[in-house]
Amino acid sequence: TMSYLRDLRSGSEVYLVGTAHISRKSADEVRSVIRSVKPDVVFVELCRARAEAMRAARSGARDDPAGALPEPLRQLLRSLGAPGDLGEKLLGAGLKAVYQLLRQFHGLDPGLEFKVAMDECDASGARLVLGDCDQDATIRALRDAIDLADVLKLLAGGGAADPAALDPELAALFQNADWRDPARAVETLKTRKATAAMAAAMRAQFPKVANAMLDQRDDVMTERLLEAARERGEEKIVAVVGMAHMDGIERRWGDAQGDGLGVTRIS
C-alpha cells in the first residue's frame, strides 16, 4: 500500500509505504520501492532506542531468552504494577497475544520491513530519519491510558475486532483469519479497509489506547516527515510506516499543505 505526498513549500516528494509488521511481502515491497525511487532520505517508523535494539539484534550482540516477553511489554507490565517475575508468569501468555496484535498492527515492535529499509538506506547512502516517538514516551502514554482491567478485557476478546460490529465483507475476513498462523492472517487482513476497521474497533473499546498508539504517534511522525521534506528541499523520500498510520499521516499532511492538497493514494 502506497501514497504519494508532495510538500508544496519545498517541492519534496514522499513515497509513503504502508506495511504490516510481520509480513515478508511488505519487506519485499519496501526493498523494491527504495531501489526504484533511489531516495535521498529513508524515513522509518522507529525511535532511536528501537533502531539501536534492532541493529544489535541483527549483529547478534543481543540475545533475549527464548519465550521472554518483549522489553516494551515488560516496561508496560512494570508501569501497571505487575509484580516482577510473578506478573510475567501470571499474565505472560495472555499479554503476549495482546502484544502480538499491537505489534502486527500498531508497530510497538520493529518489523522486518524496517530492517530492510535501514539496510537499503545504508547500501544506497541515503540519509536515515527515525520518525517515531521515543519508546519510553509511548510506554508512558500507554501507562496513562490503560490499566490491568483493560488488559484483561483485551485478552478476553482475543484482541480482535468484534465481527458483529463490521460489515459482512470485513466480518468474513476476520472470521476466516487463522491467528494460529499470524503471518498468513496478516496477509489476509492487509488492506486499508481491514486496518481501518481494526483501528475503529480499538477506538470504540479503548479510545485512550488508540490515542497513545495511533494519534500521538501520527502527530509526531507527520511533523518529523515535514521537517525532513523541508530541511533541504526538492528531495525524494521513502517513508515506511505501519498501515494503521497511513490515514492519520495523510490527513495531517493534507492539513499542513492546505485544503487536503499534496496527497495522492496510489494503492
Side-chain angles (χ1 to χ4, degrees):
T1 301
M2 186 163 68
S3 293
Y4 172 78
L5 312 180
R6 184 170 180 84
D7 182 42
L8 304 183
R9 180 190 301 179
S10 67
S12 289
E13 302 172 299
V14 178
Y15 296 83
L16 181 67
V17 183
T19 67
H21 294 314
I22 62 170
S23 167
R24 181 163 292 277
K25 288 184 179 179
S26 284
D28 292 341
E29 289 166 0
V30 167
R31 181 181 293 107
S32 177
V33 170
I34 291 176
R35 291 184 179 182
S36 297
V37 172
K38 297 178 174 57
D40 304 292
V41 175
V42 174
F43 176 105
V44 291
E45 181 200 320
L46 292 174
C47 66
R48 184 170 300 280
R50 290 166 63 204
E52 290 176 353
M54 180 182 298
R55 290 189 186 277
R58 184 174 54 192
S59 68
R62 176 179 168 185
D63 185 18
D64 290 334
L69 286 173
E71 178 56 27
L73 183 53
R74 287 198 293 268
Q75 291 183 34
L76 181 56
L77 270 173
R78 288 194 295 269
S79 73
L80 293 174
D85 291 341
L86 177 60
E88 290 198 16
K89 290 177 181 177
L90 290 174
L91 298 174
L95 285 175
K96 283 179 186 177
V98 175
Y99 180 84
Q100 183 79 350
L101 176 81
L102 295 174
R103 182 177 70 180
Q104 290 160 5
F105 287 97
H106 303 303
L108 191 60
D109 193 44
L112 177 61
E113 78 277 27
F114 299 143
K115 296 179 177 70
V116 167
M118 288 199 297
D119 286 345
E120 292 295 322
C121 182
D122 291 343
S124 69
R127 301 197 313 279
L128 178 66
V129 173
L130 303 174
D132 202 0
C133 294
D134 179 75
Q135 176 175 281
D136 290 341
T138 299
I139 293 297
R140 288 194 298 271
L142 276 174
R143 178 196 62 203
D144 294 338
I146 195 170
D147 56 28
L148 286 174
D150 287 329
V151 172
L152 295 175
K153 182 180 176 183
L154 269 171
L155 177 57
D162 178 7
L166 306 176
D167 68 43
E169 177 186 353
L170 284 178
L173 282 176
F174 282 107
Q175 289 171 339
N176 293 333
D178 183 1
W179 288 101
R180 293 172 297 182
D181 184 351
R184 179 175 295 181
V186 167
E187 291 300 331
T188 300
L189 299 173
K190 199 178 72 175
T191 67
R192 282 213 176 204
K193 191 173 182 180
T195 303
M198 292 294 294
M202 177 168 281
R203 290 186 191 284
Q205 296 181 43
F206 306 99
K208 292 182 180 179
V209 173
N211 181 58
M213 292 302 300
L214 293 175
D215 299 334
Q216 293 181 30
R217 295 170 67 201
D218 290 351
D219 286 342
V220 170
M221 285 192 281
T222 306
E223 180 179 350
R224 291 179 180 172
L225 190 55
L226 280 164
E227 288 174 354
R230 293 171 177 174
E231 181 179 355
R232 300 184 185 180
E234 295 192 356
E235 292 196 302
K236 291 187 291 186
I237 301 172
V238 171
V240 182
V241 302
M243 195 181 297
H245 294 288
M246 290 192 74
D247 287 348
I249 291 174
E250 289 169 358
R251 183 170 60 255
R252 289 162 175 79
W253 186 275
D255 289 343
Q257 307 304 316
D259 297 325
L261 296 174
V263 178
T264 303
R265 290 188 175 184
I266 298 174
S267 62

